[in-house]
Amino acid sequence: MSWFTRKEPSFQPDDSERTVITEGLWQKCDACSQVIWRKALEEGWNICPKCGFHFRIDAQTRLKLFFDGDWEVFDHGMTSTNPLEFVDSRSYTDRLAAMRKSTGLNDAVICAAGKLHGRRVQICVMELKFIGGSMGSVVGEKITRAVERSLKERSPLIIVSASGGARMQEGAVSLMQLAKISAALMLLDEAKVPFISVLTDPTTGGVTASFAMLGDINIGEPGALIGFAGPRVIEQTIRQKLPEGFQRSEFLLEHGFLDAVVKRTEMKDYIAGTLDFFCGKA
Ligand SMILES: [Zn+2]
Protein backbone atom coordinates (compact mmCIF):
# COMPACT_ATOMS: atom_id res chain seq x y z
CA MET A 1 0.00 0.00 0.00
CA SER A 2 1.17 3.44 -0.88
CA TRP A 3 1.69 4.80 2.61
CA PHE A 4 4.35 2.20 3.28
CA THR A 5 6.60 3.89 0.78
CA ARG A 6 6.78 7.19 2.61
CA LYS A 7 9.77 8.16 4.68
CA GLU A 8 9.82 6.91 8.25
CA PRO A 9 8.44 9.72 10.37
CA SER A 10 11.02 11.06 12.73
CA PHE A 11 9.43 11.61 16.05
CA GLN A 12 11.59 12.58 18.93
CA PRO A 13 10.05 13.46 22.26
CA ASP A 14 11.14 17.08 22.05
CA ASP A 15 9.87 20.48 21.00
CA SER A 16 10.97 20.08 17.41
CA GLU A 17 8.12 17.61 16.78
CA ARG A 18 7.21 18.08 13.16
CA THR A 19 3.79 16.96 12.06
CA VAL A 20 1.91 18.90 9.43
CA ILE A 21 3.43 22.04 7.97
CA THR A 22 1.01 24.77 8.94
CA GLU A 23 2.20 27.50 6.59
CA GLY A 24 1.04 28.20 3.08
CA LEU A 25 -1.97 27.23 1.06
CA TRP A 26 -0.52 24.03 -0.32
CA GLN A 27 0.88 20.95 1.25
CA LYS A 28 2.81 17.99 -0.09
CA CYS A 29 1.49 14.55 0.84
CA ASP A 30 4.04 12.55 2.87
CA ALA A 31 3.01 9.35 1.09
CA CYS A 32 2.36 10.13 -2.58
CA SER A 33 4.22 13.49 -2.83
CA GLN A 34 1.26 15.07 -4.61
CA VAL A 35 0.56 18.70 -3.79
CA ILE A 36 -2.78 19.18 -2.05
CA TRP A 37 -4.73 22.35 -1.38
CA ARG A 38 -4.69 22.75 2.39
CA LYS A 39 -8.32 23.75 2.60
CA ALA A 40 -9.37 20.60 0.73
CA LEU A 41 -7.25 18.57 3.13
CA GLU A 42 -8.78 20.16 6.22
CA GLU A 43 -12.31 19.78 4.88
CA GLY A 44 -11.58 16.18 3.91
CA TRP A 45 -10.77 14.81 7.40
CA ASN A 46 -7.04 15.50 6.84
CA ILE A 47 -6.86 12.52 4.51
CA CYS A 48 -4.96 12.83 1.23
CA PRO A 49 -7.61 12.97 -1.55
CA LYS A 50 -5.13 11.36 -3.97
CA CYS A 51 -3.88 8.33 -2.02
CA GLY A 52 -5.84 8.10 1.26
CA PHE A 53 -2.86 8.83 3.51
CA HIS A 54 -4.04 9.86 6.99
CA PHE A 55 -2.28 13.00 8.19
CA ARG A 56 -1.81 13.44 11.91
CA ILE A 57 -4.47 15.57 13.57
CA ASP A 58 -4.46 17.30 16.93
CA ALA A 59 -6.50 16.28 19.96
CA GLN A 60 -9.12 19.05 19.61
CA THR A 61 -9.83 18.14 15.97
CA ARG A 62 -10.14 14.51 16.99
CA LEU A 63 -12.69 15.28 19.70
CA LYS A 64 -14.80 17.16 17.14
CA LEU A 65 -14.85 14.07 14.94
CA PHE A 66 -16.21 11.92 17.79
CA PHE A 67 -18.70 13.96 19.77
CA ASP A 68 -22.22 14.77 18.52
CA GLY A 69 -22.07 18.28 19.94
CA ASP A 70 -20.44 19.92 22.95
CA TRP A 71 -18.35 18.05 25.44
CA GLU A 72 -17.20 18.57 29.00
CA VAL A 73 -13.46 18.62 29.72
CA PHE A 74 -12.06 17.18 32.96
CA ASP A 75 -8.87 17.92 34.89
CA HIS A 76 -7.65 20.53 32.41
CA GLY A 77 -5.65 22.39 35.08
CA MET A 78 -3.57 19.41 36.21
CA THR A 79 0.18 20.03 35.73
CA SER A 80 3.40 18.12 36.40
CA THR A 81 5.46 19.05 39.45
CA ASN A 82 8.78 18.00 37.85
CA PRO A 83 9.38 15.39 40.58
CA LEU A 84 13.01 14.66 39.58
CA GLU A 85 13.93 18.31 38.88
CA PHE A 86 15.09 16.97 35.56
CA VAL A 87 17.34 18.84 33.16
CA ASP A 88 18.40 17.65 29.70
CA SER A 89 19.17 20.19 26.96
CA ARG A 90 16.92 22.48 29.00
CA SER A 91 15.08 22.14 32.29
CA TYR A 92 11.88 20.09 32.24
CA THR A 93 10.05 22.98 33.93
CA ASP A 94 11.00 25.31 31.04
CA ARG A 95 10.08 22.67 28.50
CA LEU A 96 6.65 22.24 30.06
CA ALA A 97 6.11 26.01 30.07
CA ALA A 98 7.03 26.24 26.37
CA MET A 99 4.70 23.36 25.54
CA ARG A 100 1.82 24.92 27.45
CA LYS A 101 2.30 28.10 25.49
CA SER A 102 2.51 26.43 22.06
CA THR A 103 -0.36 23.95 22.51
CA GLY A 104 -2.69 25.73 24.94
CA LEU A 105 -2.79 22.49 26.95
CA ASN A 106 -1.30 21.72 30.36
CA ASP A 107 -0.22 18.21 29.41
CA ALA A 108 -0.39 15.60 26.65
CA VAL A 109 -3.99 14.39 26.98
CA ILE A 110 -7.50 15.85 26.88
CA CYS A 111 -10.12 13.91 28.85
CA ALA A 112 -13.72 14.68 27.99
CA ALA A 113 -17.26 13.34 28.22
CA GLY A 114 -20.21 13.82 25.90
CA LYS A 115 -22.48 11.99 23.48
CA LEU A 116 -21.40 9.76 20.61
CA HIS A 117 -24.41 8.93 18.42
CA GLY A 118 -26.61 9.63 21.45
CA ARG A 119 -24.66 7.51 23.94
CA ARG A 120 -22.71 9.09 26.81
CA VAL A 121 -19.03 8.17 26.58
CA GLN A 122 -15.72 9.17 28.14
CA ILE A 123 -13.06 10.01 25.55
CA CYS A 124 -9.36 10.61 26.23
CA VAL A 125 -7.29 11.90 23.31
CA MET A 126 -3.52 12.21 23.45
CA GLU A 127 -1.79 15.26 21.97
CA LEU A 128 1.38 14.30 20.10
CA LYS A 129 2.54 17.92 19.91
CA PHE A 130 2.95 18.05 23.70
CA ILE A 131 6.42 16.50 24.27
CA GLY A 132 5.72 13.74 21.74
CA GLY A 133 2.44 12.76 23.43
CA SER A 134 4.53 11.27 26.21
CA MET A 135 2.92 9.75 29.28
CA GLY A 136 4.01 11.17 32.60
CA SER A 137 2.26 11.53 35.95
CA VAL A 138 -0.41 13.91 34.62
CA VAL A 139 -1.40 11.78 31.63
CA GLY A 140 -1.48 8.72 33.92
CA GLU A 141 -3.62 10.41 36.53
CA LYS A 142 -6.03 12.00 34.05
CA ILE A 143 -6.61 8.74 32.19
CA THR A 144 -7.04 6.84 35.47
CA ARG A 145 -9.67 9.37 36.57
CA ALA A 146 -11.44 8.94 33.22
CA VAL A 147 -11.48 5.17 33.80
CA GLU A 148 -12.98 5.79 37.25
CA ARG A 149 -15.67 8.07 35.78
CA SER A 150 -16.49 5.35 33.24
CA LEU A 151 -16.78 2.84 36.05
CA LYS A 152 -18.96 5.06 38.22
CA GLU A 153 -21.31 6.09 35.41
CA ARG A 154 -21.04 2.84 33.48
CA SER A 155 -20.31 4.92 30.38
CA PRO A 156 -17.98 3.33 27.80
CA LEU A 157 -14.39 4.56 27.56
CA ILE A 158 -12.55 5.42 24.36
CA ILE A 159 -8.84 6.28 24.43
CA VAL A 160 -7.21 7.64 21.28
CA SER A 161 -3.44 7.18 21.49
CA ALA A 162 -0.73 9.19 19.73
CA SER A 163 2.44 8.88 21.71
CA GLY A 164 6.17 8.19 21.75
CA GLY A 165 5.73 6.36 25.08
CA ALA A 166 6.66 7.11 28.67
CA ARG A 167 7.99 10.57 29.56
CA MET A 168 11.69 10.17 30.23
CA GLN A 169 11.87 13.46 32.15
CA GLU A 170 9.78 11.83 34.89
CA GLY A 171 11.78 8.59 34.98
CA ALA A 172 10.27 5.83 37.09
CA VAL A 173 7.25 8.00 37.94
CA SER A 174 6.18 7.82 34.30
CA LEU A 175 6.70 4.04 34.21
CA MET A 176 4.41 3.64 37.24
CA GLN A 177 1.58 5.06 35.12
CA LEU A 178 1.59 1.87 33.02
CA ALA A 179 0.68 -0.17 36.08
CA LYS A 180 -1.74 2.40 37.48
CA ILE A 181 -3.83 2.72 34.31
CA SER A 182 -3.71 -1.03 33.63
CA ALA A 183 -4.99 -1.78 37.16
CA ALA A 184 -7.86 0.71 36.75
CA LEU A 185 -8.75 -0.84 33.38
CA MET A 186 -8.93 -4.25 35.02
CA LEU A 187 -11.68 -2.95 37.34
CA LEU A 188 -13.51 -1.60 34.28
CA ASP A 189 -13.19 -5.00 32.65
CA GLU A 190 -14.54 -6.77 35.74
CA ALA A 191 -17.51 -4.38 35.78
CA LYS A 192 -18.08 -5.21 32.07
CA VAL A 193 -17.94 -1.60 30.92
CA PRO A 194 -16.44 -1.50 27.41
CA PHE A 195 -13.10 0.14 26.63
CA ILE A 196 -12.23 0.85 23.02
CA SER A 197 -8.64 1.67 22.16
CA VAL A 198 -7.92 3.67 19.00
CA LEU A 199 -4.27 3.66 17.94
CA THR A 200 -3.15 6.47 15.65
CA ASP A 201 0.18 7.41 14.08
CA PRO A 202 2.44 6.94 16.06
CA THR A 203 1.62 4.79 19.11
CA THR A 204 4.76 3.36 20.66
CA GLY A 205 6.69 2.59 23.83
CA GLY A 206 4.98 2.48 27.21
CA VAL A 207 1.62 3.51 25.78
CA THR A 208 1.54 0.47 23.48
CA ALA A 209 2.90 -1.60 26.38
CA SER A 210 -0.05 -0.64 28.58
CA PHE A 211 -3.50 0.75 27.86
CA ALA A 212 -3.33 1.09 24.06
CA MET A 213 -3.26 -2.71 23.67
CA LEU A 214 -5.76 -3.45 26.47
CA GLY A 215 -8.98 -2.46 24.69
CA ASP A 216 -11.92 -4.82 24.40
CA ILE A 217 -11.44 -3.81 20.77
CA ASN A 218 -8.15 -2.36 19.52
CA ILE A 219 -8.60 -0.30 16.36
CA GLY A 220 -5.79 1.20 14.26
CA GLU A 221 -5.98 4.08 11.81
CA PRO A 222 -4.71 3.15 8.32
CA GLY A 223 -0.93 3.28 7.97
CA ALA A 224 -0.28 4.15 11.63
CA LEU A 225 3.10 3.25 13.13
CA ILE A 226 2.34 1.05 16.14
CA GLY A 227 4.99 -0.76 18.13
CA PHE A 228 7.10 -0.85 21.25
CA ALA A 229 10.62 0.04 20.07
CA GLY A 230 10.83 1.91 16.77
CA PRO A 231 11.76 0.04 13.56
CA ARG A 232 15.19 1.66 13.32
CA VAL A 233 16.12 0.59 16.85
CA ILE A 234 15.01 -2.99 16.13
CA GLU A 235 16.95 -3.09 12.84
CA GLN A 236 20.09 -1.83 14.53
CA THR A 237 19.68 -4.35 17.36
CA ILE A 238 18.94 -7.52 15.38
CA ARG A 239 20.93 -6.37 12.30
CA GLN A 240 18.26 -7.56 9.94
CA LYS A 241 16.06 -5.81 7.43
CA LEU A 242 12.47 -5.71 8.63
CA PRO A 243 9.65 -6.80 6.30
CA GLU A 244 7.78 -4.14 4.36
CA GLY A 245 5.06 -2.47 6.36
CA PHE A 246 6.42 -3.81 9.65
CA GLN A 247 4.68 -2.08 12.61
CA ARG A 248 2.05 -0.51 10.39
CA SER A 249 -1.64 -1.03 11.25
CA GLU A 250 -2.31 -3.38 8.34
CA PHE A 251 0.65 -5.61 9.22
CA LEU A 252 -0.46 -5.73 12.86
CA LEU A 253 -4.03 -6.62 11.87
CA GLU A 254 -2.72 -9.47 9.73
CA HIS A 255 -0.63 -10.73 12.67
CA GLY A 256 -3.38 -10.53 15.27
CA PHE A 257 -2.31 -7.45 17.25
CA LEU A 258 -5.25 -5.32 16.14
CA ASP A 259 -8.93 -6.18 15.76
CA ALA A 260 -9.62 -3.73 12.96
CA VAL A 261 -8.14 -1.01 10.78
CA VAL A 262 -10.75 1.67 10.23
CA LYS A 263 -10.60 4.81 8.10
CA ARG A 264 -10.97 8.11 9.92
CA THR A 265 -14.17 8.87 7.98
CA GLU A 266 -15.77 5.66 9.30
CA MET A 267 -14.33 5.57 12.82
CA LYS A 268 -17.23 7.19 14.69
CA ASP A 269 -19.85 4.92 13.09
CA TYR A 270 -17.64 1.89 13.65
CA ILE A 271 -17.25 2.68 17.36
CA ALA A 272 -20.98 3.37 17.73
CA GLY A 273 -21.73 0.00 16.12
CA THR A 274 -19.27 -1.73 18.45
CA LEU A 275 -20.86 -0.11 21.50
CA ASP A 276 -24.33 -1.14 20.26
CA PHE A 277 -22.98 -4.68 20.10
CA PHE A 278 -21.56 -4.54 23.64
CA CYS A 279 -24.26 -2.54 25.44
CA GLY A 280 -27.38 -2.73 23.24
CA LYS A 281 -28.74 0.18 21.20
CA ALA A 282 -28.22 3.63 22.71
ZN1 LIG B 1 -1.17 11.24 -0.85
PDB file of all heavy atoms in Angstrom, residues 2 28-34 36 47-53 55, ligand 1:
ATOM      1  N   SER A   2       0.327   2.292  -0.572  1.00  0.00           N
ATOM      2  CA  SER A   2       1.168   3.445  -0.881  1.00  0.00           C
ATOM      3  C   SER A   2       1.804   4.093   0.338  1.00  0.00           C
ATOM      4  O   SER A   2       2.897   4.600   0.251  1.00  0.00           O
ATOM      5  CB  SER A   2       0.346   4.454  -1.653  1.00  0.00           C
ATOM      6  OG  SER A   2      -0.828   4.753  -0.932  1.00  0.00           O
ATOM      7  N   LYS A  28       2.402  19.203   0.624  1.00  0.00           N
ATOM      8  CA  LYS A  28       2.808  17.994  -0.089  1.00  0.00           C
ATOM      9  C   LYS A  28       2.430  16.782   0.764  1.00  0.00           C
ATOM     10  O   LYS A  28       2.664  16.781   1.970  1.00  0.00           O
ATOM     11  CB  LYS A  28       4.318  18.049  -0.297  1.00  0.00           C
ATOM     12  CG  LYS A  28       4.799  17.165  -1.405  1.00  0.00           C
ATOM     13  CD  LYS A  28       6.245  17.528  -1.729  1.00  0.00           C
ATOM     14  CE  LYS A  28       6.908  16.412  -2.484  1.00  0.00           C
ATOM     15  NZ  LYS A  28       8.312  16.683  -2.745  1.00  0.00           N
ATOM     16  N   CYS A  29       1.858  15.770   0.114  1.00  0.00           N
ATOM     17  CA  CYS A  29       1.494  14.551   0.841  1.00  0.00           C
ATOM     18  C   CYS A  29       2.756  13.760   1.181  1.00  0.00           C
ATOM     19  O   CYS A  29       3.622  13.557   0.327  1.00  0.00           O
ATOM     20  CB  CYS A  29       0.558  13.693  -0.009  1.00  0.00           C
ATOM     21  SG  CYS A  29       0.191  12.100   0.745  1.00  0.00           S
ATOM     22  N   ASP A  30       2.866  13.315   2.426  1.00  0.00           N
ATOM     23  CA  ASP A  30       4.038  12.548   2.871  1.00  0.00           C
ATOM     24  C   ASP A  30       4.149  11.209   2.145  1.00  0.00           C
ATOM     25  O   ASP A  30       5.230  10.637   2.041  1.00  0.00           O
ATOM     26  CB  ASP A  30       3.947  12.248   4.373  1.00  0.00           C
ATOM     27  CG  ASP A  30       4.134  13.504   5.207  1.00  0.00           C
ATOM     28  OD1 ASP A  30       4.490  14.542   4.627  1.00  0.00           O
ATOM     29  OD2 ASP A  30       3.910  13.447   6.425  1.00  0.00           O
ATOM     30  N   ALA A  31       3.016  10.688   1.691  1.00  0.00           N
ATOM     31  CA  ALA A  31       3.015   9.354   1.093  1.00  0.00           C
ATOM     32  C   ALA A  31       3.190   9.399  -0.414  1.00  0.00           C
ATOM     33  O   ALA A  31       4.064   8.731  -0.957  1.00  0.00           O
ATOM     34  CB  ALA A  31       1.730   8.621   1.456  1.00  0.00           C
ATOM     35  N   CYS A  32       2.341  10.185  -1.123  1.00  0.00           N
ATOM     36  CA  CYS A  32       2.360  10.133  -2.585  1.00  0.00           C
ATOM     37  C   CYS A  32       3.061  11.337  -3.208  1.00  0.00           C
ATOM     38  O   CYS A  32       3.188  11.411  -4.431  1.00  0.00           O
ATOM     39  CB  CYS A  32       0.942   9.989  -3.141  1.00  0.00           C
ATOM     40  SG  CYS A  32      -0.088  11.461  -2.922  1.00  0.00           S
ATOM     41  N   SER A  33       3.495  12.291  -2.373  1.00  0.00           N
ATOM     42  CA  SER A  33       4.220  13.486  -2.829  1.00  0.00           C
ATOM     43  C   SER A  33       3.395  14.430  -3.704  1.00  0.00           C
ATOM     44  O   SER A  33       3.935  15.377  -4.261  1.00  0.00           O
ATOM     45  CB  SER A  33       5.510  13.116  -3.577  1.00  0.00           C
ATOM     46  OG  SER A  33       6.351  12.417  -2.702  1.00  0.00           O
ATOM     47  N   GLN A  34       2.110  14.162  -3.853  1.00  0.00           N
ATOM     48  CA  GLN A  34       1.256  15.071  -4.615  1.00  0.00           C
ATOM     49  C   GLN A  34       1.034  16.336  -3.793  1.00  0.00           C
ATOM     50  O   GLN A  34       1.031  16.291  -2.568  1.00  0.00           O
ATOM     51  CB  GLN A  34      -0.111  14.416  -4.869  1.00  0.00           C
ATOM     52  CG  GLN A  34      -0.033  13.186  -5.719  1.00  0.00           C
ATOM     53  CD  GLN A  34      -0.335  13.467  -7.183  1.00  0.00           C
ATOM     54  OE1 GLN A  34      -0.526  14.609  -7.575  1.00  0.00           O
ATOM     55  NE2 GLN A  34      -0.368  12.413  -7.968  1.00  0.00           N
ATOM     56  N   ILE A  36      -1.348  19.116  -2.376  1.00  0.00           N
ATOM     57  CA  ILE A  36      -2.782  19.184  -2.046  1.00  0.00           C
ATOM     58  C   ILE A  36      -3.101  20.579  -1.534  1.00  0.00           C
ATOM     59  O   ILE A  36      -2.306  21.176  -0.804  1.00  0.00           O
ATOM     60  CB  ILE A  36      -3.145  18.172  -0.932  1.00  0.00           C
ATOM     61  CG1 ILE A  36      -2.491  16.816  -1.157  1.00  0.00           C
ATOM     62  CG2 ILE A  36      -4.649  18.010  -0.807  1.00  0.00           C
ATOM     63  CD1 ILE A  36      -2.352  16.000   0.117  1.00  0.00           C
ATOM     64  N   ILE A  47      -7.256  13.738   5.236  1.00  0.00           N
ATOM     65  CA  ILE A  47      -6.861  12.520   4.512  1.00  0.00           C
ATOM     66  C   ILE A  47      -6.490  12.953   3.097  1.00  0.00           C
ATOM     67  O   ILE A  47      -7.220  13.751   2.491  1.00  0.00           O
ATOM     68  CB  ILE A  47      -8.033  11.511   4.472  1.00  0.00           C
ATOM     69  CG1 ILE A  47      -8.391  11.062   5.897  1.00  0.00           C
ATOM     70  CG2 ILE A  47      -7.701  10.317   3.600  1.00  0.00           C
ATOM     71  CD1 ILE A  47      -9.660  10.247   5.977  1.00  0.00           C
ATOM     72  N   CYS A  48      -5.372  12.449   2.584  1.00  0.00           N
ATOM     73  CA  CYS A  48      -4.958  12.826   1.230  1.00  0.00           C
ATOM     74  C   CYS A  48      -6.029  12.385   0.222  1.00  0.00           C
ATOM     75  O   CYS A  48      -6.361  11.200   0.152  1.00  0.00           O
ATOM     76  CB  CYS A  48      -3.615  12.182   0.872  1.00  0.00           C
ATOM     77  SG  CYS A  48      -3.134  12.440  -0.849  1.00  0.00           S
ATOM     78  N   PRO A  49      -6.571  13.340  -0.575  1.00  0.00           N
ATOM     79  CA  PRO A  49      -7.613  12.969  -1.548  1.00  0.00           C
ATOM     80  C   PRO A  49      -7.070  12.113  -2.690  1.00  0.00           C
ATOM     81  O   PRO A  49      -7.818  11.427  -3.384  1.00  0.00           O
ATOM     82  CB  PRO A  49      -8.118  14.323  -2.066  1.00  0.00           C
ATOM     83  CG  PRO A  49      -7.048  15.313  -1.751  1.00  0.00           C
ATOM     84  CD  PRO A  49      -6.284  14.787  -0.573  1.00  0.00           C
ATOM     85  N   LYS A  50      -5.734  12.120  -2.855  1.00  0.00           N
ATOM     86  CA  LYS A  50      -5.133  11.365  -3.969  1.00  0.00           C
ATOM     87  C   LYS A  50      -4.860   9.908  -3.574  1.00  0.00           C
ATOM     88  O   LYS A  50      -5.100   9.005  -4.357  1.00  0.00           O
ATOM     89  CB  LYS A  50      -3.830  12.028  -4.410  1.00  0.00           C
ATOM     90  CG  LYS A  50      -3.921  13.543  -4.628  1.00  0.00           C
ATOM     91  CD  LYS A  50      -4.245  13.897  -6.062  1.00  0.00           C
ATOM     92  CE  LYS A  50      -4.665  15.348  -6.272  1.00  0.00           C
ATOM     93  NZ  LYS A  50      -3.775  16.381  -5.822  1.00  0.00           N
ATOM     94  N   CYS A  51      -4.321   9.696  -2.360  1.00  0.00           N
ATOM     95  CA  CYS A  51      -3.879   8.329  -2.020  1.00  0.00           C
ATOM     96  C   CYS A  51      -4.471   7.781  -0.711  1.00  0.00           C
ATOM     97  O   CYS A  51      -4.257   6.623  -0.368  1.00  0.00           O
ATOM     98  CB  CYS A  51      -2.358   8.277  -1.942  1.00  0.00           C
ATOM     99  SG  CYS A  51      -1.669   9.014  -0.450  1.00  0.00           S
ATOM    100  N   GLY A  52      -5.216   8.612   0.033  1.00  0.00           N
ATOM    101  CA  GLY A  52      -5.843   8.105   1.259  1.00  0.00           C
ATOM    102  C   GLY A  52      -4.940   8.131   2.489  1.00  0.00           C
ATOM    103  O   GLY A  52      -5.317   7.637   3.548  1.00  0.00           O
ATOM    104  N   PHE A  53      -3.765   8.729   2.361  1.00  0.00           N
ATOM    105  CA  PHE A  53      -2.863   8.831   3.510  1.00  0.00           C
ATOM    106  C   PHE A  53      -3.520   9.662   4.626  1.00  0.00           C
ATOM    107  O   PHE A  53      -4.065  10.724   4.370  1.00  0.00           O
ATOM    108  CB  PHE A  53      -1.539   9.481   3.066  1.00  0.00           C
ATOM    109  CG  PHE A  53      -0.603   9.807   4.199  1.00  0.00           C
ATOM    110  CD1 PHE A  53       0.065   8.792   4.860  1.00  0.00           C
ATOM    111  CD2 PHE A  53      -0.402  11.116   4.618  1.00  0.00           C
ATOM    112  CE1 PHE A  53       0.929   9.084   5.910  1.00  0.00           C
ATOM    113  CE2 PHE A  53       0.452  11.425   5.662  1.00  0.00           C
ATOM    114  CZ  PHE A  53       1.115  10.398   6.308  1.00  0.00           C
ATOM    115  N   PHE A  55      -3.168  12.064   7.500  1.00  0.00           N
ATOM    116  CA  PHE A  55      -2.283  13.004   8.192  1.00  0.00           C
ATOM    117  C   PHE A  55      -2.590  12.974   9.684  1.00  0.00           C
ATOM    118  O   PHE A  55      -3.707  12.669  10.090  1.00  0.00           O
ATOM    119  CB  PHE A  55      -2.490  14.425   7.650  1.00  0.00           C
ATOM    120  CG  PHE A  55      -1.882  14.643   6.289  1.00  0.00           C
ATOM    121  CD1 PHE A  55      -2.572  14.282   5.144  1.00  0.00           C
ATOM    122  CD2 PHE A  55      -0.614  15.186   6.170  1.00  0.00           C
ATOM    123  CE1 PHE A  55      -2.010  14.463   3.888  1.00  0.00           C
ATOM    124  CE2 PHE A  55      -0.045  15.366   4.926  1.00  0.00           C
ATOM    125  CZ  PHE A  55      -0.740  15.009   3.776  1.00  0.00           C
TER     126      PHE A  55
HETATM  127 ZN    ZN B   1      -1.172  11.240  -0.848  1.00  0.00          ZN
END
